[in-house]
Amino acid sequence: MSSLRTDDDTWDIATSVGSTAVMVAASRAAETEREDALIRDPYAKVLVAGAGTGVWELILDDDFTAKIEAADPETAAIFDHMGNYQAVRTHFFDTYFARAAEAGIRQVVILASGLDSRAYRLPWPDGTVVYEIDQPKVLEYKSATLAAHGVQPAADRREVAVDLRHDWPKALRAKGFDPQQRTAWLAEGLLMYLPADAQDRLFENITALSAPGSRLAVETAAEEPVDRREQMRARMERIASQFGLEKALDVAQLMYDDPDRADVPEWLTGHGWRTEWVSAPDEMRRLDRFVAAAMPPGDDADAADLDDTAFSKFVTAERPS
């Protein structure tokens, strides 16, 4: 289980779970600058620059990444793989929303939205309402920062400032959510920060609020072996020491490694959802973004039968009409 989390913990954009949103936005900003970018997020760099976390901005520094490559090629490969993962994940769920919009869904809920900028950057059809649920300070930072740069949402964006461990369905309805309308839900970068019972409650609430024809997309929590996590932590500490960096937050300590966590596709199928999924490595290979050199020694990185539990799945589901 996580060692840094408590049942009543809270955060802003520069601390605890909030700072992971900055890390993800930095990856989107770096991807946007690539010639072969899978996604374009013109707002990610602005959001990272004002967050005050410092260390994640280094992802955007070409000189720094070149120094990492020279000092520790294995760590550089891991950074590359992590950036590719974020790009592929964002691309997958962007496509999910595009298909939901094409199907006529005009009600969207992004759970633990963090610095997700989809309400601003995706081409939403007229009449689309995007509800963003997250901690109050996180939502305040995003909206204020983008407004200060003259950026306006491309849909009717409604903030739902509530902790997902509290009565978020009540708060969502108070903002105008209609459970009789079809909804496109997204739980991206979320489940790993919830214990098993909270994950079950989340899906129970989503199911209760979902009209027939609603859709759901989920990134599952990977079950990375403890030794791999320790290897990564040790690498990051060496890099921080070598380059005189302030010690970065150990993201793994924010996550709940809960052995009782339900398998998401199985849970959804058992509760009436029509479910499909793809493993993250397979989707990365499909888009030619899998970095074999980032795999731990001894793993057959080119094999199709990599241990699925060590990697996230991208799940999509629909409630039958």
XYZ file of all heavy atoms in Angstrom, residues 5 85 89 188-195 199 219-222 254-257 261 312:
186
model
N 0.044 8.392 1.622
C -1.360 8.761 1.504
C -2.106 8.508 2.805
O -1.804 7.586 3.549
C -2.018 7.953 0.379
C -1.348 8.100 -0.984
C -1.484 9.512 -1.540
N -2.867 9.954 -1.539
C -3.786 9.528 -2.418
N -3.446 8.661 -3.356
N -5.029 9.983 -2.366
N 4.703 6.557 -23.694
C 3.495 6.003 -23.065
C 2.435 7.086 -22.898
O 1.253 6.878 -23.218
C 3.837 5.395 -21.705
C 2.609 4.940 -20.948
C 2.042 3.699 -21.191
C 2.000 5.779 -20.010
C 0.902 3.282 -20.519
C 0.863 5.375 -19.340
C 0.316 4.132 -19.591
O -0.817 3.738 -18.935
N -1.169 7.030 -24.662
C -2.354 7.055 -23.809
C -3.265 8.229 -24.168
O -4.483 8.055 -24.321
C -1.929 7.154 -22.340
C -3.087 7.155 -21.367
C -2.619 7.277 -19.935
N -2.306 8.658 -19.571
C -2.066 9.059 -18.321
N -2.076 8.180 -17.328
N -1.801 10.329 -18.052
N -8.676 8.398 -16.420
C -7.299 8.301 -16.942
C -6.340 8.787 -15.863
O -6.537 9.844 -15.265
C -7.181 9.182 -18.189
C -5.783 9.250 -18.779
C -5.680 10.304 -19.885
O -6.450 11.301 -19.824
O -4.844 10.143 -20.778
N -5.290 7.995 -15.592
C -4.328 8.404 -14.582
C -4.935 8.533 -13.208
O -4.551 9.407 -12.425
N -5.878 7.669 -12.883
C -6.633 7.797 -11.634
C -6.574 6.561 -10.755
O -6.305 6.655 -9.557
C -8.099 8.127 -11.960
C -9.115 7.997 -10.825
C -8.750 8.911 -9.665
C -10.524 8.266 -11.331
N -6.838 5.382 -11.310
C -7.067 4.202 -10.478
C -5.888 3.868 -9.582
O -6.082 3.360 -8.461
C -7.419 2.997 -11.345
C -8.689 3.107 -12.181
C -9.016 1.755 -12.800
C -9.867 3.640 -11.373
N -4.665 4.132 -10.031
C -3.502 3.791 -9.210
C -3.424 4.601 -7.924
O -2.724 4.239 -6.991
C -2.212 3.954 -10.016
C -1.905 5.382 -10.473
S -2.899 5.912 -11.884
C -2.296 4.869 -13.193
N -4.178 5.704 -7.862
C -4.189 6.538 -6.661
C -5.383 6.237 -5.757
O -5.635 6.962 -4.794
C -4.190 8.021 -7.053
C -3.016 8.389 -7.921
C -3.208 8.809 -9.240
C -1.708 8.282 -7.449
C -2.127 9.123 -10.043
C -0.625 8.588 -8.253
C -0.850 9.008 -9.550
O 0.231 9.324 -10.350
N -6.112 5.160 -6.065
C -7.253 4.738 -5.265
C -7.014 3.340 -4.707
O -6.504 2.465 -5.410
C -8.527 4.697 -6.114
C -9.056 6.000 -6.710
C -10.279 5.706 -7.577
C -9.388 7.012 -5.624
N -7.396 3.079 -3.445
C -7.375 1.699 -2.961
C -8.484 0.900 -3.622
O -9.380 1.456 -4.280
C -7.615 1.860 -1.452
C -8.301 3.177 -1.313
C -7.798 4.054 -2.427
N -11.944 2.089 -5.728
C -12.102 1.823 -7.156
C -13.465 1.192 -7.421
O -14.174 1.590 -8.368
C -10.991 0.896 -7.648
C -11.159 0.471 -9.103
C -10.040 -0.423 -9.600
O -8.874 -0.047 -9.542
N -10.385 -1.614 -10.076
N -7.968 3.834 -17.840
C -6.592 3.335 -17.791
C -6.467 2.537 -16.500
O -6.693 3.080 -15.412
C -5.599 4.491 -17.780
C -4.158 4.040 -17.581
C -3.234 5.183 -17.187
O -3.727 6.237 -16.732
O -2.004 5.019 -17.316
N -6.130 1.265 -16.595
C -6.035 0.448 -15.390
C -4.732 0.715 -14.653
O -3.784 1.304 -15.189
C -6.127 -1.048 -15.729
O -4.953 -1.442 -16.459
C -7.374 -1.361 -16.541
N -4.678 0.269 -13.411
C -3.470 0.394 -12.599
C -2.568 -0.805 -12.866
O -2.983 -1.950 -12.717
C -3.839 0.461 -11.122
N -1.338 -0.537 -13.264
C -0.385 -1.617 -13.509
C 0.107 -2.182 -12.184
O 0.151 -1.489 -11.172
C 0.785 -1.101 -14.335
N 2.856 7.405 -3.881
C 1.511 7.970 -3.868
C 0.463 6.952 -4.312
O -0.732 7.180 -4.167
C 1.440 9.190 -4.803
C 2.350 10.362 -4.461
C 2.239 11.424 -5.556
C 2.011 10.954 -3.110
N 0.922 5.842 -4.864
C 0.015 4.864 -5.444
C -0.338 3.778 -4.437
O 0.432 3.483 -3.523
C 0.659 4.222 -6.676
C 1.027 5.217 -7.760
S 1.874 4.385 -9.142
C 2.224 5.781 -10.204
N -1.508 3.187 -4.651
C -1.949 2.067 -3.828
C -1.700 0.770 -4.575
O -2.350 0.496 -5.582
C -3.435 2.201 -3.499
C -3.754 3.284 -2.496
C -4.066 4.572 -2.917
C -3.752 3.010 -1.129
C -4.358 5.567 -2.000
C -4.040 3.994 -0.200
C -4.347 5.269 -0.644
O -4.639 6.254 0.275
N -0.737 -0.011 -4.095
C -0.461 -1.323 -4.683
C -1.313 -2.342 -3.934
O -0.852 -3.018 -3.023
C 1.031 -1.631 -4.543
C 1.426 -2.920 -5.223
O 0.637 -3.410 -6.064
O 2.510 -3.452 -4.916
N -7.386 -5.331 -5.655
C -7.969 -4.508 -6.712
C -8.634 -5.379 -7.776
O -8.047 -6.348 -8.265
C -6.875 -3.652 -7.364
C -7.406 -2.610 -8.344
C -6.246 -1.871 -9.000
N -5.399 -1.193 -8.036
C -5.670 0.007 -7.497
N -6.795 0.627 -7.827
N -4.841 0.557 -6.628
N -0.297 -1.235 -17.859
C -1.683 -0.777 -17.865
C -2.438 -1.328 -19.069
O -1.843 -1.691 -20.083
C -1.727 0.755 -17.911
O -1.123 1.312 -16.774
